[in-house]
Amino acid sequence: MLKMLPCVLPGAWQELGWISKVHVNRPAVVRHAEQIKKWRTVKGNWQAAWLLKAVTCIDLTTLSGDDTPSNVHRLCFKAKHPIREDLLKALDMHDKGITVGAVCVYPARVTDAVNALKAAGCNIPVASVAAGFPSGQTPLETRLAEIKLAVEYGAREIDIVISRSLVLTGQWEGLYEEIRQCREACGEAHMKTILATGSDFIKTSTGKEVENATFPVGVVMMRAIREFYWQTGNKVGFKPAGGIRTAKEAITWLMLVKEELGVEWLTPELFRLGASSLLEDIERQIFYHVTGSYALQHDLAMA
């Protein structure tokens, strides 16, 4: 008998019986992913336009054990000014308000990020990893408390980690209940769920694994998003995270989203790129497009 439970998303229903019907044609997915890698990269002004779109979808991230208020403040400045002003002027994009999608930090650094962005006079949301990131092995009560604290500190987006043991042992109802409680703890903040469904976003990985965002996984997750939208009318966002370092990779992810989900998903509200070093390469490519020469070390500010 299929069991029906209220979905984490308001007004929708989650039928856990769907899970038992899911089948992934792995060889076909892998073949499709190989084709994706061979897609031609756009050139010239089209490339610059795609790169600027990618910038607006970046979760500019620092998740180091030695993060300090100083490096978080520097990151926030880069979030507001991701591309040099003269380069944007050359593209006639200096007055378009180009910023990254969000700044992502640990809960302990949320207040630093919120204060830095407020002082800079911008409304870029602060995202925070919580719920036992990256292992997800802390007790549920602790994870819920961490989420609530991050929201209290000013985080408007929360990236949670699920209990992988529940997945590996097939405890889907238990997993659903944990996600439901995490979503409740987020309150008005958007929730991105790493390796799970039923939230505002689903995310490929923590970025801390040996293998992170891959095209085969991306294809499967995007088609799950599409199926969920067809079934419920609810749009769930997608976030590949970890290992995305080059402008070419960013454009490929954007094109894949456009192919699988459509242009309406190409907004910061429904698509994010989790990255810490990607922005540097994007700015370098835009510098080359504008000037015709490669940037030297001192030409571009570090994030």
Side-chain angles (χ1 to χ4, degrees):
M1 182 174 69
L2 299 180
K3 181 169 286 189
M4 302 288 290
L5 292 175
C7 181
V8 176
L9 290 170
W13 290 81
Q14 177 77 9
E15 184 185 278
L16 295 183
W18 291 359
I19 296 173
S20 63
K21 301 176 184 177
V22 172
H23 173 73
V24 176
N25 186 335
R26 186 182 181 92
V29 171
V30 171
R31 283 197 302 272
H32 184 46
E34 289 302 315
Q35 292 172 348
I36 292 168
K37 295 177 183 177
K38 297 176 183 178
W39 285 352
R40 289 186 177 182
T41 303
V42 289
K43 301 293 184 181
N45 289 336
W46 285 104
Q47 182 187 50
W50 278 95
L51 290 177
L52 291 179
K53 167 62 73 173
V55 167
T56 67
C57 294
I58 289 177
D59 278 358
L60 194 58
T61 304
T62 181
L63 296 172
S64 300
D66 57 356
D67 281 337
T68 64
S70 178
N71 78 294
V72 170
H73 289 175
R74 186 169 66 248
L75 191 78
C76 290
F77 178 85
K78 189 63 177 176
K80 185 182 180 182
H81 306 281
I83 306 296
R84 263 179 33 179
E85 186 73 9
D86 60 319
L87 300 178
L88 290 176
K89 284 183 178 179
L91 297 170
D92 196 25
M93 294 295 290
H94 58 287
D95 57 351
K96 305 302 181 185
I98 300 291
T99 69
V100 302
V103 170
C104 186
V105 294
Y106 277 118
R109 301 269 71 89
V110 167
T111 301
D112 297 328
V114 169
N115 290 340
L117 291 169
K118 184 178 180 180
C122 61
N123 195 38
I124 299 172
V126 174
S128 182
V129 293
F133 182 93
S135 68
Q137 291 293 334
T138 52
L140 178 59
E141 293 77 12
T142 303
R143 284 181 275 146
L144 294 176
E146 187 176 39
I147 292 172
K148 291 176 182 178
L149 278 174
V151 173
E152 182 182 321
Y153 294 156
R156 288 157 53 189
E157 301 176 4
I158 300 293
D159 289 30
I160 71 164
V161 185
I162 62 170
S163 298
R164 294 168 180 81
S165 60
L166 295 177
V167 176
L168 297 174
T169 54
Q171 298 181 61
W172 301 114
E173 291 187 31
L175 173 64
Y176 178 83
E177 177 59 22
E178 283 203 356
I179 295 174
R180 186 195 66 77
Q181 291 187 49
C182 288
R183 185 66 190 87
E184 187 176 292
C186 286
E188 294 298 316
H190 272 210
M191 184 173 80
K192 306 190 197 83
T193 305
I194 302 168
L195 304 177
T197 61
S199 59
D200 301 302
F201 266 71
I202 54 175
K203 180 176 172 180
T204 59
S205 46
T206 64
K208 300 292 186 179
E209 288 87 13
V210 175
E211 185 177 71
N212 292 285
T214 65
F215 293 126
V217 169
V219 169
V220 172
M221 292 177 72
M222 281 184 242
R223 292 187 179 180
I225 289 172
R226 188 172 63 195
E227 178 69 20
F228 186 73
Y229 174 60
W230 287 345
Q231 293 283 351
T232 68
N234 289 300
K235 293 179 180 178
V236 174
F238 174 66
K239 178 180 175 179
I244 305 173
R245 298 184 176 87
T246 69
K248 182 179 180 180
E249 289 173 313
I251 291 176
T252 303
W253 277 108
L254 285 166
M255 289 183 169
L256 182 57
V257 170
K258 180 176 180 291
E259 178 184 90
E260 295 290 341
L261 296 172
V263 292
E264 56 193 306
W265 256 264
L266 290 178
T267 67
E269 290 74 30
L270 289 170
F271 177 65
R272 294 289 177 80
L273 289 160
S276 54
S277 58
L278 171 62
L279 182 57
E280 183 179 350
D281 190 57
I282 288 178
E283 191 174 22
R284 185 181 297 113
Q285 295 303 321
I286 290 177
F287 183 96
Y288 179 79
H289 173 72
V290 171
T291 67
S293 60
Y294 290 103
L296 300 176
Q297 192 68 36
H298 62 270
D299 286 324
L300 303 175
M302 293 188 297

